[in-house]
Amino acid sequence: MKKTLLATAIAGAAALAATSASAATVYNQDGTKLDIYGNIQLVYAYDDRLGEDAESELGDNGSTFGAKGEHKINDDIVGYFKAEWEYDADESKGGGNGLNNGDQSYVGAKGSFGDARIGSWDQLMDDWIQDPISNNEYFDLSDSSSQISGSSSVKEGNKLQYMSPVMGGMQFAVGSNFEGDGEDENVTDSNQASFFAGAKYTIGGFSIAAVYDDLGQFDGLDTTPDDGANNSQGDIGEQYGITGQYTVDALRIAVKAERFDADVENADVDYYGIGARYGYGMGDVYGAYQYVDAEANAYQYINADRDGGDGDDHTYNEFNLGVTYNISSAMYTFIEYVQYDRAGDDGDSAAVGIYYGF
């Protein structure tokens, strides 16, 4: 699961208000505010597997506990923080099953100058390019981030970012993920840092966004960490994409073109997608289609269970469908289906789940 919203993702301001309303304000005095919030998410999923029996599971879907706060520094600038931890709601009893995973944590300042923050949170590529197409409850379509052979902590962590205010409908962001030579995952003797940037333009119900990320923080990672030697993988490639979306009433339609430009020869992957979401009053109906054009050596497409490894380029037609139903302002259920067009229907899945936010 990526980012669940209580209301429709189309009505962004209304959805944010609904999510924020479920938080409990524990302190709000003299310009300082502290909220705590969280959710419990459970899902039952059925998954086809190539060459194996289909699998089913009742599991956690990203249950989270969080805290956020802000403090008025002066009449223009507000300092803020956010910290989230995940836990397994399906098997919470026993040692080690409490808050067992960090999610996002950052601190920053915002005002008329824009927003500057440092910490760990989702990629700009995720927020501006991928999410408008398939930011679903459980299943997502593949994307350029799935080509990155490294942990999510490296992809999202040690980050600094500046985002401008909206000026005449235009907004930009620029930042870096920094992996110093003292980090355990950086096996080189030099600092490694990425550069990413994006721009977004909004007019009325239409917006267009473009993002570039050189993924430089991965250059110092060990390619084979279990062999006892330090072999840095070097340049893995770049991500870039563009997304346009249009919102009218309760309907949002989005299109994207996204690319993973691999440093390895014959390993580029292109993604062309279209998605839609409609708020029908008691929830959302949504779906997306994506055409994937993967060269023969593309990571994630060369494994046997993904119909690769035969030296040929491959194309895939992926789609997903889903619907949510609001039981109350804090609780809803959903049904989703996804198809990846892999050999033997590998990965094709259905799921039903429930969410309660507090």
Side-chain angles (χ1 to χ4, degrees):
M1 191 221 69
K2 299 179 84 171
K3 294 189 281 294
T4 305
L5 300 178
L6 286 176
T8 71
I10 302 159
L16 181 59
T19 304
S20 299
S22 63
T25 299
V26 297
Y27 184 86
N28 188 4
Q29 188 174 344
D30 300 327
T32 297
K33 182 180 180 182
L34 175 64
D35 293 338
I36 59 172
Y37 62 94
N39 57 68
I40 294 177
Q41 303 181 57
L42 292 166
V43 63
Y44 173 79
Y46 178 90
D47 184 16
D48 279 331
R49 308 296 297 174
L50 177 63
E52 304 175 12
D53 293 336
E55 298 177 344
S56 60
E57 178 185 13
L58 176 62
D60 183 76
N61 189 29
S63 298
T64 302
F65 179 82
K68 60 182 179 180
E70 60 180 43
H71 174 71
K72 186 176 180 180
I73 298 173
N74 57 39
D75 289 342
D76 181 51
I77 300 176
V78 173
Y80 65 90
F81 84 93
K82 185 176 185 178
E84 290 185 350
W85 303 268
E86 294 185 346
Y87 61 96
D88 294 329
D90 62 318
E91 297 176 344
S92 60
K93 188 176 179 61
N97 292 329
L99 297 177
N100 53 21
N101 233 342
D103 190 2
Q104 54 180 341
S105 300
Y106 52 83
V107 62
K110 58 186 177 181
S112 61
F113 69 92
D115 186 315
R117 66 171 66 166
I118 182 170
S120 176
W121 65 93
D122 291 341
Q123 283 184 290
L124 187 65
M125 179 71 67
D126 188 0
D127 289 340
W128 283 12
I129 304 301
Q130 298 163 359
D131 279 357
I133 302 298
S134 63
N135 181 19
N136 303 325
E137 302 300 324
Y138 189 67
F139 300 119
D140 281 332
L141 303 182
S142 62
D143 54 50
S144 62
S145 298
S146 65
Q147 300 305 300
I148 301 173
S149 56
S151 71
S152 59
S153 63
V154 178
K155 183 170 61 178
E156 301 177 7
N158 296 326
K159 188 187 305 185
L160 305 92
Q161 177 183 284
Y162 167 74
M163 184 173 293
S164 76
V166 178
M167 300 170 289
M170 192 73 186
Q171 186 176 34
F172 71 88
V174 61
S176 177
N177 297 75
F178 178 76
E179 289 289 330
D181 55 11
E183 298 276 1
D184 290 340
E185 60 266 24
N186 182 2
V187 298
T188 68
D189 294 326
S190 59
N191 299 328
Q192 307 292 339
S194 72
F195 170 78
F196 65 86
K200 180 189 291 186
Y201 178 71
T202 303
I203 180 170
F206 174 77
S207 67
I208 186 168
V211 173
Y212 167 81
D213 193 331
D214 73 1
L215 302 173
Q217 76 269 34
F218 289 93
D219 293 356
L221 266 62
D222 196 343
T223 54
T224 52
D226 297 325
D227 67 353
N230 292 334
N231 304 305
S232 61
Q233 63 184 350
D235 188 5
I236 65 171
E238 304 166 328
Q239 288 176 282
Y240 44 88
I242 184 169
T243 293
Q245 53 184 318
Y246 181 70
T247 301
V248 55
D249 297 328
L251 174 66
R252 184 188 68 190
I253 300 174
V255 295
K256 79 164 183 180
E258 183 183 2
R259 181 176 178 86
F260 183 81
D261 190 355
D263 186 65
V264 176
E265 185 178 355
N266 199 29
D268 299 338
V269 187
D270 292 301
Y271 306 83
Y272 306 96
I274 181 170
R277 182 178 286 259
Y278 177 73
Y280 64 89
M282 293 300 295
D284 292 354
V285 178
Y286 50 92
Y289 165 79
Q290 180 169 256
Y291 177 79
V292 181
D293 187 358
E295 292 185 337
N297 294 328
Y299 176 76
Q300 291 290 346
Y301 297 96
I302 61 175
N303 301 322
D305 65 347
R306 290 299 185 190
D307 194 25
D310 54 11
D312 295 331
D313 295 351
H314 290 274
T315 61
Y316 305 93
N317 293 283
E318 304 176 346
F319 76 88
N320 68 275
L321 296 169
V323 60
T324 65
Y325 177 77
N326 296 331
I327 300 170
S328 70
S329 61
M331 188 176 185
Y332 65 86
T333 187
F334 68 87
I335 299 174
E336 285 187 354
Y337 174 77
V338 68
Q339 183 171 301
Y340 292 110
D341 193 26
R342 305 299 195 264
D345 297 330
D346 183 46
D348 294 356
S349 305
V352 58
I354 191 165
Y355 172 101
Y356 183 90
F358 56 91

